[in-house]
Coordinates of all heavy atoms in Angstrom, one line a residue:
M1 N 48.9 -74.4 -228.7 CA 49.9 -75.5 -228.1 C 51.2 -75.6 -228.9 O 51.2 -75.5 -230.2 CB 49.3 -76.9 -228.0 CG 48.1 -76.8 -227.0 SD 47.4 -78.4 -226.8 CE 48.8 -79.2 -225.9
A2 N 52.2 -75.9 -228.4 CA 53.5 -76.1 -229.0 C 53.5 -77.5 -229.6 O 52.5 -78.4 -229.6 CB 54.7 -76.0 -228.0
L10 N 54.7 -77.1 -234.6 CA 53.5 -76.3 -234.8 C 54.0 -74.8 -234.8 O 54.5 -74.5 -233.7 CB 52.4 -76.6 -233.7 CG 51.1 -76.0 -233.9 CD1 50.4 -76.7 -235.3 CD2 50.2 -76.2 -232.7
E57 N 37.3 -75.1 -237.0 CA 38.4 -75.0 -236.1 C 37.9 -75.6 -234.7 O 36.9 -75.1 -234.2 CB 38.8 -73.6 -235.9 CG 39.8 -73.3 -234.8 CD 39.8 -71.9 -234.1 OE1 38.8 -71.1 -234.6 OE2 40.5 -71.7 -233.3
F58 N 38.7 -76.4 -234.1 CA 38.4 -76.9 -232.7 C 39.3 -76.2 -231.8 O 40.6 -76.2 -232.0 CB 38.6 -78.3 -232.6 CG 37.7 -79.2 -233.4 CD1 38.0 -79.4 -234.7 CD2 36.6 -79.8 -232.8 CE1 37.1 -80.3 -235.5 CE2 35.5 -80.5 -233.5 CZ 35.9 -80.8 -234.9
F59 N 38.7 -75.3 -230.9 CA 39.5 -74.3 -230.0 C 39.2 -74.6 -228.5 O 38.2 -75.3 -228.2 CB 39.3 -73.0 -230.4 CG 37.9 -72.5 -230.2 CD1 37.8 -71.7 -228.8 CD2 36.9 -72.7 -230.8 CE1 36.7 -71.2 -228.6 CE2 35.6 -72.2 -230.4 CZ 35.5 -71.4 -229.2
A60 N 40.0 -74.0 -227.7 CA 39.6 -73.9 -226.3 C 39.7 -72.4 -225.9 O 40.7 -71.7 -226.3 CB 40.7 -74.7 -225.4
P61 N 38.9 -71.9 -225.1 CA 38.9 -70.5 -224.7 C 40.2 -70.0 -224.0 O 40.5 -68.8 -224.1 CB 37.6 -70.5 -223.8 CG 36.8 -71.5 -224.1 CD 37.6 -72.6 -224.5
W62 N 40.8 -70.9 -223.3 CA 42.0 -70.5 -222.6 C 43.3 -70.5 -223.4 O 44.4 -70.2 -223.0 CB 42.2 -71.5 -221.3 CG 41.9 -72.9 -221.6 CD1 40.9 -73.7 -221.3 CD2 42.9 -73.7 -222.2 NE1 41.2 -74.9 -221.8 CE2 42.4 -75.1 -222.3 CE3 44.3 -73.6 -222.7 CZ2 43.1 -76.1 -222.8 CZ3 45.0 -74.7 -223.2 CH2 44.4 -75.9 -223.2
C63 N 43.1 -71.1 -224.7 CA 44.3 -71.4 -225.5 C 44.8 -70.0 -226.0 O 44.1 -69.4 -226.9 CB 43.9 -72.4 -226.5 SG 45.2 -72.5 -227.8
G64 N 46.1 -69.7 -225.8 CA 46.6 -68.4 -226.4 C 46.7 -68.4 -227.9 O 46.5 -67.5 -228.5
H65 N 47.1 -69.6 -228.5 CA 47.3 -69.7 -229.9 C 45.8 -69.5 -230.6 O 45.8 -69.1 -231.6 CB 47.9 -71.0 -230.2 CG 49.3 -71.2 -229.7 ND1 50.2 -70.1 -229.7 CD2 49.9 -72.3 -229.1 CE1 51.3 -70.6 -229.2 NE2 51.1 -71.8 -228.6
C66 N 44.8 -70.1 -229.9 CA 43.4 -69.9 -230.5 C 43.1 -68.5 -230.5 O 42.5 -68.0 -231.4 CB 42.5 -70.8 -229.6 SG 42.9 -72.6 -229.5
V92 N 34.4 -74.6 -233.2 CA 33.6 -75.5 -232.0 C 34.6 -75.3 -230.7 O 35.8 -75.5 -230.8 CB 33.6 -77.0 -232.4 CG1 33.1 -77.7 -231.2 CG2 32.8 -77.2 -233.6
D93 N 33.9 -75.0 -229.6 CA 34.6 -74.9 -228.4 C 34.8 -76.3 -227.9 O 33.9 -77.0 -227.3 CB 33.7 -74.1 -227.2 CG 34.4 -74.0 -226.0 OD1 35.5 -74.7 -225.8 OD2 33.9 -73.4 -225.1
A94 N 35.9 -76.9 -228.2 CA 36.2 -78.3 -228.0 C 36.4 -78.5 -226.5 O 36.4 -79.7 -226.0 CB 37.3 -78.8 -228.7
N95 N 36.6 -77.5 -225.6 CA 36.7 -77.6 -224.3 C 35.5 -77.6 -223.5 O 35.5 -78.3 -222.3 CB 37.6 -76.4 -223.7 CG 38.1 -76.6 -222.4 OD1 39.0 -77.5 -222.1 ND2 37.6 -75.8 -221.4
A96 N 34.3 -77.3 -224.1 CA 33.1 -77.4 -223.4 C 32.7 -78.8 -223.3 O 32.8 -79.7 -224.1 CB 32.0 -76.6 -224.2
K100 N 32.8 -82.4 -226.0 CA 34.0 -83.3 -226.0 C 33.8 -84.5 -226.7 O 34.8 -85.0 -227.3 CB 34.3 -83.5 -224.4 CG 35.1 -82.4 -223.8 CD 35.5 -82.6 -222.4 CE 36.1 -81.4 -221.9 NZ 36.7 -81.6 -220.6
A103 N 35.2 -83.6 -230.0 CA 36.5 -83.6 -230.0 C 37.1 -85.1 -230.1 O 38.1 -85.3 -230.8 CB 37.1 -82.9 -228.7
I108 N 40.9 -84.9 -231.6 CA 41.6 -83.7 -231.4 C 42.6 -83.7 -230.2 O 42.2 -84.2 -229.2 CB 40.5 -82.5 -231.0 CG1 39.5 -82.4 -232.1 CG2 41.2 -81.1 -230.9 CD1 40.1 -82.1 -233.5
Q109 N 43.9 -83.5 -230.5 CA 44.9 -83.8 -229.6 C 45.5 -82.4 -229.0 O 46.2 -82.4 -228.0 CB 46.1 -84.6 -230.2 CG 45.6 -85.9 -230.7 CD 45.3 -86.9 -229.5 OE1 45.8 -86.8 -228.5 NE2 44.4 -87.8 -229.9
G110 N 45.1 -81.3 -229.7 CA 45.8 -80.1 -229.2 C 45.0 -78.9 -229.8 O 44.1 -79.1 -230.8
F111 N 45.2 -77.7 -229.3 CA 44.5 -76.6 -229.7 C 45.3 -75.4 -230.3 O 46.3 -75.3 -229.8 CB 43.6 -75.9 -228.6 CG 42.6 -77.0 -228.0 CD1 42.8 -77.3 -226.6 CD2 41.6 -77.5 -228.7 CE1 41.9 -78.1 -226.1 CE2 40.7 -78.4 -228.2 CZ 40.8 -78.8 -226.8
P112 N 44.9 -74.8 -231.3 CA 43.8 -75.1 -232.3 C 44.1 -76.1 -233.1 O 45.3 -76.3 -233.7 CB 43.4 -73.7 -233.0 CG 44.9 -73.2 -233.0 CD 45.6 -73.6 -231.7
T113 N 43.1 -76.9 -233.6 CA 43.2 -77.9 -234.6 C 42.1 -77.6 -235.6 O 40.9 -77.3 -235.3 CB 42.9 -79.4 -234.1 OG1 44.0 -79.6 -233.2 CG2 42.9 -80.4 -235.3
R131 N 48.6 -69.9 -241.0 CA 47.5 -69.4 -239.9 C 47.4 -68.0 -239.8 O 47.0 -67.5 -238.9 CB 47.9 -70.1 -238.6 CG 47.7 -71.6 -238.7 CD 47.7 -72.2 -237.3 NE 47.6 -73.7 -237.5 CZ 47.2 -74.5 -236.4 NH1 47.1 -74.0 -235.3 NH2 47.1 -75.9 -236.7
E469 N 41.8 -81.6 -219.7 CA 41.7 -80.8 -220.7 C 40.7 -79.5 -220.3 O 40.2 -78.8 -221.1 CB 40.9 -81.5 -221.9 CG 41.8 -82.6 -222.4 CD 41.1 -83.4 -223.6 OE1 40.1 -83.4 -223.6 OE2 42.0 -84.0 -224.3
G470 N 40.6 -79.3 -218.9 CA 39.8 -78.3 -218.5 C 40.5 -76.9 -218.4 O 41.5 -76.8 -218.8
R472 N 42.6 -73.9 -216.8 CA 43.8 -74.1 -216.1 C 43.6 -73.0 -214.8 O 44.6 -72.1 -214.6 CB 45.0 -73.7 -217.0 CG 45.2 -74.8 -218.0 CD 46.3 -74.4 -219.0 NE 46.4 -75.5 -220.0 CZ 47.1 -75.4 -221.2 NH1 47.7 -74.4 -221.3 NH2 47.1 -76.4 -221.9

Side-chain angles (χ1 to χ4, degrees):
M1 294 185 69
L10 189 66
E57 175 207 2
F58 293 85
F59 74 97
W62 46 260
C63 168
H65 300 314
C66 302
V92 174
D93 179 358
N95 190 65
K100 286 187 176 179
I108 305 304
Q109 300 292 330
F111 302 119
T113 294
R131 298 197 177 188
E469 298 173 344
R472 293 172 183 174

